[in-house]
Structures are given as C-alpha cells and as structure tokens.
Amino acid sequence: MTNELKTYDLVVIGGGPAGITAAATGSELGKSVVLVDSQPEIGGAGINTGTVPSKTLRETALALSGIKSRNLYGVDLSLRREVTVADFLGRETHVKDAFHTTITQRLRTLKATIYCGTCAFVDAHTVHVSLGSEDQKSEPSSPGAEMLLRGEKIIIATGSSPVRPGLFPFGQGEIYDSDTILKLNRIPRILAVVGAGVIGAEYGCTFRALGAEVHFVDGRDVLLPFLDAEVSRALVGAFERSGIVFHWKEMVQKCIPQPSGEIQLELSSGAVLSADAVLVAAGRQSNTAHLGLDKAGVNTGKRGIIPVNEHYQTNIENIYAAGDVIGFPALASTSMEQARRAARHALGHSESALSPLLPNGIYTIPEAGMVGETEQSLKEKGVAYFVGRANYWDNARGRIIGDHDGFLKLLFRQEDRKLLGVHIMGEYATDVVHIGMMALLCNGSANLFVDACFNMPTLGALYKAATLDALQSLTGMPKREDACL
C-alpha cells in the first residue's frame, strides 16, 4: 500500500555512473533531487560488477602473476604458489567499498536523497517505489514499504545487464556471465569464453594471466572489429603468444554440465570443448523491462534500448535517459557525460553537444586505445592519408617497462597533415590515447607534435616519434636522431 507522495525537481532512476552524475549535477544546480537504485550499494555495473571490478582484477592479476616483471632482464617475480580466490578478489572488494563511500558522501554533501528500491512509472511525472533493504547509505525506510515520487523532470539511468542465451543452463555448474563471474569459488584450470567482444576479451586475458587455460569461442573471425585492423591483428598475436586459443567462426550448439563438474560445449563445426568454467559474454540488454515505460508513454527499441534526441530526451518531453540504457557506446565515461548534459538541459541550463570524438580503452593484456578514424573508415570515405608508427621498444620508457610489442599509430590527412586517428596497443595505452584525443579536439596537425617538447623518458614521446616517422614516409626526409627516445 502506498503511504506517501514526495515531490522533487529531479527524479533519477538508477544509481550507476550515469545516475550518480545526473543526481550530482542536479544538486549542484540547487535543485531538489532524489536517486533510487535497486541495489543497497549504489554504483551500478560501472562500480559493482563491470568497469571498476574488472579493471581492478586485471591489475591484481598482473601483480600476482608477475607478468610485468617477466620482460625485465634479471627480474622474476612470477607466482611461486597457487593463487586463491581471496588473493584475487580481496583488492577488488576493497576498491569497490572505497568508491561506495566516496560517492555516497559526495551525494550527501550535495543534499541529494537516496533510496534503495525498485521503480515503476505511474504516469509521465510519477513513479511508484517499492523500498528494498536499507543500508547505512540510504535514507531511513522500512523494507517492503511503498511510496510515490513525483518529478518535474525524470532521468532514466538503469543501465544494462548481460544477455543470457537460453542454451546455457545458468545455475547449473560453473557457468557465468559478466555480472556473476566475480562470484566464482576458484580460479578455473580451463576457462571457455563464449564471445570475444570487449568484456570477454578483458576477462579472458585476466584469467590467462592467473594461469588458466583460456579458449575464446566466437562466430566471427576478427577480434574487436571496431578497432583499426592492424591493432586487432596485433592483439590476436599477443593473445596467442600468451597461450590463449581462438576458435573462430564457431557457435556453441549445446552446453552440457557433466557429473564430473566439467562443462562440455558442442560447437557448430562438430568439435567438443571441455572446460572447468564457462563465461558467456553475449552482449548486454537495457534494464527497462520492469519500469512500466508504457504507463509514461516512453518508446523503446531492440533489447530495451530507449531512443533519445541530442539532449537525451525521450519521446516524452520531461523524461530523459542516459548511459547504457540508450545503447552505444555504453561506456562509463560517455554515460557520465550524457547524464551531465541531460540533467543540465532538463533543469533549464544550456549545454554543448557531446563531442563525437570519444576515446575507447580496452583493458586487455596488452591494453589497446583508440580515438578518431581508422584506416578502414578513411578508405571508405575516400580520404587520402599517411601513417606514422612508433614502437614501445624504441622508446626509452617503453624499454624500461619491458614492453616488446607495444606501438602507437597515427593517421594524418595528406592534404593538410591534420591528425585524424590515434591507435595504440601496449602498456598504459588507455591513458596515452588521451594525448591524441586532445590534439584531435584542437584540430591539431603534425606540426603540433613536431614542435612539442616531451619529457624523457615518457610514453608521450611516442607521439613525436610516430609523427616524424609519418613525415619521413611522406617526404623522404632523414629520420631525426631523437625520434627513438
């Protein structure tokens, strides 16, 4: 039974990166804001099950496995004992807890109200909330109680969840998706990853670093096809050298848990793959099924995705949506930017459009980063371009950290030498790519990097080396001596 009606300037549904940012933005603008999330600990997939946990696990794997030290001459910090789940998950739990505390303290300081509960629309301005379990960070409430929240504006930021294809008997044996893989009770001897997308690739590398035998099963024959083809091929080579096995152009036809505890996968070619654990990474779907969007008149598309305009408004003027719930690119970074712009527009403040130049960071081992055009996209557009490359091993910092395979690739327009695309594979690629992003945002040309002075030794100096390489290939001028530092 509904006990009360509370009115706010802004109601935010969902407490992931987008919801948190929307609530903080509204509060900073002096508006009354309430955030409702279905979990006792806010953070969504970005903090609880996805972005932060998976990247923390990656760093833990690198530290525990000694991988970073193996290419350093005379240094061997490889594992000399069996890794336990406590080793693997302890750091991840600590990092999540710290984020939860920081975020809720910030929202409290901004005087935003937080409730743990599930929401369903009553009409375009009202949502019904069934309060869930209370924790120390939520507003005092009685679990099982109900309330109505009325918002002048409403932002939907409920995120997404892993798709669970029916042929996989989740709950029987060691079969996981990206939300439940953190609940494993042991590190598997053999891990089969179904789907070699970003999530599958990242987790597969992490478990390989911890000694698991990893098999990727994917219906395509290209790894992460949105990447520049050269980077994609280089990643495949790095994965294979680490011992990862690819089963290209294969689909799982049957998934059969065995009495022994193994999982047997029957593939489309007729091959059979046995594993101790299976990670199903078959994409994600928007969390909109139980919101009662029809009551508010909000339209949805395939996999529950909510269509929005350039201001992140849905087809209902006072209802906005941001983050994974609106689909591509579904990154924590872009979700936060979308939510900030949605909240400002909803509350009457002008805001520039989100730049189309969005950096992409892939936390595999090695990392990959990109922003801007690829060679493929430039060829399709008929743009004449030239390419420059710089290898980590020719860079002082790259050699210090022992990265033999890393490289930076820059694409310049031939007509005016304007930078068009940045592609990196190697240690810290997800950070180093931002130098290129800033140059792209400033419409920088090759001269920007030629004239710049980079600290030495740094990976940033790769930009100068790659630019000089590009100009040398274009003009035939001799390569400068400082290009390799």
Side-chain angles (χ1 to χ4, degrees):
M1 180 176 181
T2 301
N3 329 348
E4 54 185 323
L5 171 67
K6 296 186 177 183
T7 301
Y8 294 87
D9 296 317
L10 178 64
V11 174
V12 180
I13 306 173
I20 292 166
T21 301
T25 301
S27 296
E28 287 166 354
L29 293 173
K31 303 297 184 179
S32 59
V33 177
V34 60
L35 182 152
V36 184
D37 191 67
S38 61
Q39 300 300 314
E41 296 279 12
I42 62 172
I47 293 175
N48 293 325
T49 59
T51 306
V52 171
S54 64
K55 280 56 175 179
T56 305
L57 294 176
R58 177 187 183 275
E59 291 302 313
T60 305
L62 288 171
L64 289 175
S65 66
I67 281 181
K68 287 186 177 180
S69 72
R70 291 178 188 175
N71 291 328
L72 303 182
Y73 181 77
V75 178
D76 182 9
L77 297 177
S78 303
L79 280 175
R80 304 187 188 282
R81 60 180 175 82
E82 183 179 353
V83 181
T84 66
V85 174
D87 291 327
F88 192 40
L89 299 181
R91 174 66 179 165
E92 178 262 338
T93 301
H94 173 76
V95 171
K96 281 199 305 186
D97 289 345
F99 263 108
H100 291 148
T101 300
T102 300
I103 292 166
T104 51
Q105 284 179 347
R106 182 187 177 207
L107 292 177
R108 291 266 180 255
T109 300
L110 292 171
K111 295 181 169 41
T113 301
I114 305 172
Y115 286 109
C116 173
T118 57
C119 292
F121 278 90
V122 175
D123 57 45
H125 284 277
T126 313
V127 293
H128 173 269
V129 180
S130 298
L131 295 172
S133 59
E134 176 190 336
D135 84 330
Q136 70 275 15
K137 302 178 184 68
S138 301
E139 293 298 313
S141 59
S142 301
E146 301 176 359
M147 67 170 63
L148 292 174
L149 299 178
R150 181 172 177 81
E152 185 65 27
K153 306 289 182 178
I154 298 175
I155 296 180
I156 302 168
T158 46
S160 62
S161 298
V163 172
R164 288 189 159 195
L167 68 88
F168 295 96
F170 289 93
Q172 298 180 35
E174 304 289 307
I175 302 173
Y176 302 95
D177 60 28
S178 57
D179 278 1
T180 59
I181 190 68
L182 304 181
K183 298 176 182 178
L184 51 77
N185 54 22
R186 62 188 176 89
I187 295 170
R189 185 176 60 88
I190 302 174
L191 174 68
V193 180
V194 181
V198 172
I199 293 173
E202 290 180 347
Y203 272 119
C205 288
T206 295
F207 281 98
R208 179 66 195 124
L210 287 167
E213 180 182 318
V214 175
H215 293 255
F216 283 113
V217 180
D218 197 280
R220 300 165 294 188
D221 60 358
V222 176
L223 179 67
L224 306 176
F226 60 87
L227 292 177
D228 186 87
E230 185 176 352
V231 174
S232 174
R233 290 192 299 269
L235 274 177
V236 169
F239 286 13
E240 290 178 335
R241 286 190 294 276
S242 77
I244 289 174
V245 179
F246 288 94
H247 302 266
W248 296 118
K249 295 186 176 181
E250 290 276 25
M251 303 291 288
V252 176
Q253 301 297 311
K254 292 182 180 180
C255 176
I256 308 169
Q258 301 295 308
S260 64
E262 286 190 343
I263 310 295
Q264 189 177 89
L265 300 179
E266 296 184 7
L267 308 183
S268 51
S269 67
V272 176
L273 176 62
S274 294
D276 300 303
V278 175
L279 169 61
V280 181
R284 299 180 71 85
Q285 58 190 0
S286 296
N287 294 330
T288 55
H290 304 295
L291 291 178
L293 295 178
D294 56 320
K295 297 286 183 64
V298 176
N299 294 332
T300 59
K302 185 179 179 182
R303 289 194 174 185
I305 289 174
I306 300 177
V308 294
N309 64 16
E310 68 275 18
H311 303 300
Y312 305 99
Q313 281 175 300
T314 68
N315 60 301
I316 304 302
E317 186 179 8
N318 70 292
I319 300 177
Y320 293 67
D324 284 17
V325 79
I326 67 171
F328 182 84
L331 302 170
S333 55
T334 54
S335 295
M336 291 187 286
E337 288 301 316
Q338 293 165 356
R340 186 170 68 84
R341 285 167 169 77
R344 288 182 60 84
H345 187 270
L347 298 172
H349 292 259
S350 61
E351 186 64 45
S352 60
L354 184 61
S355 169
L357 286 169
L358 301 174
N360 212 323
I362 316 298
Y363 292 83
T364 45
I365 302 174
E367 293 180 18
M370 67 165 288
V371 61
E373 303 282 358
T374 65
E375 284 203 66
Q376 300 94 299
S377 67
L378 291 176
K379 289 175 181 175
E380 290 170 2
K381 295 174 181 178
V383 177
Y385 66 94
F386 60 104
V387 183
R389 298 175 180 83
N391 295 320
Y392 273 48
W393 198 241
D394 294 330
N395 169 276
R397 184 65 181 275
R399 192 167 288 234
I400 289 168
I401 63 178
D403 193 326
H404 291 265
D405 302 321
F407 66 94
L408 168 67
K409 175 180 179 179
L410 301 180
L411 306 177
F412 297 94
R413 187 162 58 199
Q414 195 163 334
E415 177 187 0
D416 54 7
R417 301 183 179 183
K418 179 183 176 181
L419 181 67
L420 297 177
V422 179
H423 306 276
I424 315 175
M425 186 194 82
E427 195 69 17
Y428 308 119
T430 55
D431 282 313
V432 179
V433 71
H434 292 115
I435 297 175
M437 180 188 72
M438 297 308 294
L440 285 166
L441 288 171
C442 296
N443 294 312
S445 69
N447 291 338
L448 177 67
F449 295 125
V450 171
D451 296 338
C453 178
F454 291 89
N455 276 333
M456 188 274 194
T458 63
L459 294 176
L462 289 166
Y463 280 92
K464 188 163 194 164
T467 302
L468 293 172
D469 177 72
L471 294 174
Q472 193 274 335
S473 67
L474 181 68
T475 65
M477 71 179 196
K479 199 167 186 177
R480 284 172 44 170
E481 293 181 2
D482 61 351
C484 64
L485 298 177

